[in-house]
Amino acid sequence: EAGVVQSPRYKIIEKKQPVAFWCNPISGHNTLYWYRQNLGQGPELLIRYENEEAVDDSQLPKDRFSAERLKGVDSTLKIQPAELGDSAVYLCASSPGQVGGELFFGEGSRLTVL
Amino acid sequence: SQQGEEDPQALSIQEGENATMNCSYKTSINNLQWYRQNSGRGLVHLILIRSNEREKHSGRLRVTLDTSKKSSSLLITASRAADTASYFCATDRSNAGNMLTFGGGTRLMVKP
């Protein structure tokens, strides 16, 4: 069974440039998460989807971050414009949807903003 | 904000020794999970313990949960160099729906 797939794995951009990350969750997983992980810290939730609906986006900086999950499968996370402080690893995870269950993570997309 | 706090932040041991990592949290939980992250990789689920459980085992892993103290511990017995990684606890809070909140992690180094 294929795991959670993320791309790109690495991205280096100049500040003020846009960037987008893509995630393909495990087939059949209804719940999709985007986490941000700063260096040496644990992941912090940005947004959670139940199918197509964003059910928890309270931690998403909405002035520059946006996310979508069309058709309840793949998801994209966009930053526009990027700032130096956005340098981090952006992790996508999915789960079958049972409350409090195990999350399956992708390898992450490492963003460096210069 | 992070719900869990791991202790110690870093741990260095010799192969064959046991490694113990602790996690404290602040609010009531449904369950607590432990994840492992190798450098530059994603997180991998290790074990889940529910709020009505006190101890759980999986291979060389032993997890305890003390809800009265709002704390959990992860014990890795007979450690191996391949156990070198960061370990995170994550809590599923009672009033937060289907959402995990992660701690800051313990960075474990096992020297061969």
Side-chain angles (χ1 to χ4, degrees):
Chain A
E1 177 182 277
V4 176
V5 179
Q6 291 188 245
S7 69
R9 285 295 315 276
Y10 305 94
K11 188 75 175 179
I12 301 174
I13 61 173
E14 299 281 338
K15 64 181 180 181
K16 300 184 181 180
Q17 294 298 307
V19 64
F21 305 111
W22 174 80
C23 173
N24 180 238
I26 293 173
S27 178
H29 281 195
N30 298 325
T31 308
L32 184 146
Y33 309 76
W34 283 103
Y35 281 87
R36 176 168 61 189
Q37 185 176 27
N38 291 317
L39 187 65
Q41 298 182 22
E44 294 185 323
L45 182 70
L46 291 174
I47 189 168
R48 173 169 65 99
Y49 283 93
E50 296 287 349
N51 298 305
E52 303 91 351
E53 183 182 0
V55 295
D56 188 342
D57 63 355
S58 58
Q59 301 302 314
L60 189 72
K62 297 182 182 63
D63 57 335
R64 298 183 298 107
F65 286 65
S66 64
E68 61 181 11
R69 191 184 183 195
L70 300 177
K71 301 181 180 178
V73 182
D74 294 5
S75 177
T76 56
L77 176 69
K78 298 177 181 178
I79 308 174
Q80 182 171 13
E83 297 179 351
L84 296 176
D86 296 331
S87 294
V89 176
Y90 292 84
L91 293 162
C92 178
S94 69
S95 73
Q98 74 270 31
V99 174
E102 170 187 353
L103 300 190
F104 296 80
F105 281 84
E107 298 282 57
S109 294
R110 181 178 296 276
L111 173 66
T112 301
V113 181
L114 302 177
Chain B
S1 62
Q2 295 184 321
Q3 155 83 319
E5 293 293 334
E6 281 91 337
D7 170 58
Q9 290 188 339
L11 180 62
S12 181
I13 60 174
Q14 294 293 135
E15 212 167 22
E17 294 179 341
N18 295 340
T20 300
M21 289 159 268
N22 303 296
C23 169
S24 61
Y25 57 91
K26 299 173 184 174
T27 61
S28 297
I29 60 171
N30 294 317
N31 67 60
L32 186 144
Q33 303 179 34
W34 285 90
Y35 287 78
R36 167 196 168 123
Q37 185 178 34
N38 287 3
S39 181
R41 309 295 295 273
L43 282 78
V44 176
H45 181 264
L46 294 176
I47 197 165
L48 180 153
I49 186 165
R50 302 195 185 283
S51 60
N52 60 354
E53 297 176 310
R54 291 297 167 258
E55 187 171 312
K56 205 161 184 180
H57 297 254
S58 177
R60 293 185 296 114
L61 304 181
R62 172 178 169 252
V63 169
T64 62
L65 178 64
D66 187 336
T67 54
S68 66
K69 295 181 179 179
K70 292 187 170 57
S71 67
S72 174
S73 67
L74 171 67
L75 169 66
I76 304 174
T77 60
S79 64
R80 306 166 182 168
D83 294 328
T84 295
S86 291
Y87 292 83
F88 297 91
C89 68
T91 53
D92 173 40
R93 290 178 286 168
S94 300
N95 62 349
N98 191 21
M99 188 179 89
L100 286 184
T101 305
F102 287 82
T106 292
R107 276 147 283 285
L108 173 66
M109 175 175 287
V110 182
K111 300 175 184 177

